[in-house]
Amino acid sequence: MTIDYYNQHAASFVEGTLSVDMQSLYQHFVPLLPAGAHIVDAGCGSGRDALYFLQHGFVVTAFDGSTELAEIASKVIGQPVQVCRFEQFVAPAPVDAIWACASLLHVPASELHSVMGQLSQQLVSGGVFYCSFKYGRGEVSRGGRSFTNLDEDGLNQLLNHLPLKVVESWQTGDVRPGRESERWLNAVLRKA
C-alpha cells in the first residue's frame, strides 16, 4: 500500500524532494490568492511547499496520510501536521486555497471524484485548487506505490458534477534530477 511505502521510505523521499525548486508552479497559484490566504497543503509530503507558503505570509494547514512524513514535515514547517487521508480531512472553517502537489495521484481512480468533492467542500466560494498528476491515462503500480494518471480529457471528466472549473492546465517535465522525461499534468481550478 502507498502509505506503507512512504512510512518506510520517508527519509529518502524527503531527501529527494525537500530542496526541489517549485517556483514555476507557485507562479500559477500564488497570484490568484488574497494576501494572508489560508492554504491547505493536502498530502504535504516533506513540507517543502507548506514551508514556502508560510515564509510568504500565508496561513497553512498541512496534512499527510503518512505518519512518518507528517512527523518530518512538522519539524520542517515548525507547526503540527495532521495525519489523515484526503477523504477524512475537514477544515475548521472554509479555506481560500488547496494545494495538492503530486499527492492526489495516489487516490484510486474509482475514489478520485468523491475525494475531490470532499476537498472542494473545504473551499470558500471562488477558492483556488491546485493539483498535479503524472500525465497519461489509467492506473499503474510501481515500486510499492499506486498512481492514477490523468490527461486533459481525464481531468475534464473528473470535474463533471463537481463545483470546480479549470482556470488553466498545462504540462511540465519532472523537476527532479534524472526524471526530466516524466510528464505531469498541472491544473489550477476555481470553486464556483
Side-chain angles (χ1 to χ4, degrees):
M1 192 171 148
T2 300
I3 289 175
D4 295 335
Y5 172 91
Y6 285 112
N7 283 330
Q8 293 164 14
H9 300 94
S12 60
F13 177 78
V14 169
E15 186 179 312
T17 58
L18 187 58
S19 61
V20 174
D21 181 3
M22 304 300 282
Q23 195 62 45
S24 64
L25 298 182
Y26 301 149
Q27 290 170 358
H28 291 266
F29 179 72
V30 171
L32 302 176
L33 306 179
H38 187 172
I39 302 169
V40 169
D41 190 347
C44 69
S46 64
R48 173 198 62 214
D49 302 329
L51 180 62
Y52 175 88
F53 298 138
L54 286 166
Q55 290 172 335
H56 288 80
F58 296 106
V59 175
V60 176
T61 298
F63 73 89
D64 200 276
S66 161
T67 308
E68 297 296 320
L69 282 177
E71 193 174 303
I72 293 170
S74 69
K75 291 179 179 132
V76 167
I77 69 174
Q79 69 181 44
V81 170
Q82 188 177 336
V83 177
C84 70
R85 297 169 60 91
F86 296 111
E87 63 272 19
Q88 298 167 323
F89 177 76
V90 178
V95 298
D96 301 297
I98 293 173
W99 176 265
C101 183
S103 57
L104 287 168
L105 79 172
H106 293 307
V107 175
S110 62
E111 298 170 24
L112 199 49
H113 187 272
S114 65
V115 163
M116 293 282 284
Q118 159 71 9
L119 288 173
S120 67
Q121 289 176 16
Q122 312 308 311
L123 283 169
V124 297
S125 180
V128 178
F129 192 138
Y130 167 82
C131 55
S132 59
F133 296 85
K134 287 182 185 274
Y135 193 83
R137 287 181 171 234
E139 295 178 89
V140 295
S141 290
R142 264 195 321 274
R145 293 183 289 174
S146 300
F147 300 92
T148 297
N149 300 326
L150 278 187
D151 59 13
E152 291 86 354
D153 287 343
L155 176 66
N156 288 331
Q157 289 171 16
L158 173 64
L159 298 179
N160 269 343
H161 309 296
L162 288 177
L164 298 167
K165 299 286 177 242
V166 177
V167 174
E168 68 170 324
S169 67
W170 69 102
Q171 292 181 42
T172 53
D174 200 302
V175 292
R176 293 169 293 178
R179 299 177 74 163
E180 295 83 1
S181 64
E182 290 185 32
R183 303 301 297 165
W184 288 81
L185 175 68
N186 301 272
V188 173
L189 316 171
R190 193 180 289 279
K191 184 174 179 179

